[in-house]
Amino acid sequence: MPIVDIYLLIVLMAGMLFGRGSAGARRRNATIVLVLMAANYGVRAVSHHQALALVPRVFGPTLPAPCDPAAPTAWLDSWPRPAAPARPTAGTRCLVETAALPSFGSPFSWRIIAQFSNAYELRDIDVLDARLRSGDNTDVPWRTNVRYPNIWTPAVATAATTVTGGVFLGFSRFPAARSVEDPQHITTVRITDMRFVAGPAPVDSPLRRDNLFTARVRIAPDGRLLDETLGR
C-alpha cells in the first residue's frame, strides 16, 4: 500500500459524506465502504504478487544468484532482516532481495528495487504491460534499468556511526552509499534511501541535489567529523 492511498481516502470520505441520513442508510453505506476497502486491498495484493513474479523478466540475465539461496521464502515481508546476507566471493555479486513499491496512482504501477551486494537497480513497471509477459526475446527491458552504486568504504562505515547516520540507517530499508574525496582530502559521504529516489539521473551525478531522504556526512583527512546533515 502507498503511504497515501487516494482510493481508500475517497471511499472513506464518500462513506462519511453520504452516511449522515437514517440509521439504515448508515449501515448500508458502512457495508459498501468495507466491501470497497477489501476490494482495494485485494487488487493491490494480487498486483503486488504479479509485480514480484515479473522480476526475472524485468532484470533478465543481469539478475545474479541470491546471496542466501537456501533462505526460505516468506509469505510476509519483514524488515529489518533477521541476519546479514552472505558475502559473495571476490569479483562477483549476489542478489540480496527484491521489492515492489506501489505508486500513488494506478494500483498496477510499481517500482521494482533489486538490491545487489554492490548496487541497486530500479525499474518502473505496469503489470498490465503486455510486453513484460510476452515471450519475445527481441524485447530486452533490462537495458532501461537504472543502476545506483552502493559501495561501503571505510569512510561510509565511519559515517554510519554518527548520530545522523545511525538514525537514517535505522529508518532506511534500501540505503545506497557513496563517498567522494575532494582536492583537500575531505571525504563527503551520502546515503540515500532508494525508496524515495525520483527521476532517472544517477545518484552520483554532480548535478543532482540531495533529496529529503539523504544523509550527508563530511569527514576530515585525520578522521574528524566536520558536519552531518539530513535532507537538502
Side-chain angles (χ1 to χ4, degrees):
M1 303 295 292
I3 297 175
V4 178
D5 187 351
I6 59 174
Y7 303 106
L8 180 61
L9 293 178
I10 290 174
V11 168
L12 292 175
M13 292 176 63
M16 294 177 63
L17 179 63
F18 296 103
R20 295 183 295 179
S22 64
R26 289 195 294 270
R27 287 193 296 269
R28 181 179 63 253
N29 288 343
T31 301
I32 295 174
V33 167
L34 289 174
V35 170
L36 293 177
M37 288 173 58
N40 180 43
Y41 277 86
V43 169
R44 288 192 178 275
V46 172
S47 179
H48 178 260
H49 176 76
Q50 293 177 340
L52 291 178
L54 289 172
V55 166
R57 172 64 177 167
V58 170
F59 294 96
T62 66
L63 192 68
C67 298
D68 301 311
T73 302
W75 286 95
L76 183 65
D77 288 338
S78 62
W79 180 82
R81 296 168 56 89
R87 292 180 177 272
T89 57
T92 64
R93 63 174 183 164
C94 60
L95 176 66
V96 177
E97 66 173 320
T98 57
L101 306 183
S103 66
F104 290 102
S106 171
F108 305 106
S109 298
W110 299 85
R111 167 163 290 183
I112 304 297
I113 298 180
Q115 181 182 2
F116 303 151
S117 53
N118 63 345
Y120 291 89
E121 282 196 10
L122 277 62
R123 173 71 184 274
D124 293 333
I125 68 168
D126 188 322
V127 297
L128 301 181
D129 189 346
R131 295 173 298 177
L132 294 176
R133 302 180 179 277
S134 67
D136 186 2
N137 294 327
T138 59
D139 185 18
V140 283
W142 53 88
R143 289 183 178 176
T144 59
N145 294 343
V146 181
R147 175 179 290 261
Y148 297 87
N150 181 33
I151 307 299
W152 281 69
T153 62
V156 175
T158 299
T161 64
T162 64
V163 174
T164 300
V167 171
F168 185 81
L169 292 174
F171 160 81
S172 175
R173 180 180 177 183
F174 297 110
R178 65 198 190 278
S179 57
V180 178
E181 184 176 322
D182 64 17
Q184 287 73 38
H185 302 290
I186 295 176
T187 302
T188 300
V189 175
R190 287 182 172 85
I191 308 176
T192 302
D193 194 325
M194 290 291 97
R195 295 174 298 175
F196 304 100
V197 170
V203 292
D204 56 352
S205 170
L207 301 179
R208 189 188 187 102
R209 296 179 60 192
D210 294 337
N211 62 27
L212 295 176
F213 298 95
T214 297
R216 187 184 67 173
V217 178
R218 295 174 67 243
I219 304 172
D222 58 2
R224 290 182 299 106
L225 175 65
L226 297 178
D227 59 69
E228 50 185 300
T229 57
L230 182 64
R232 294 176 179 173

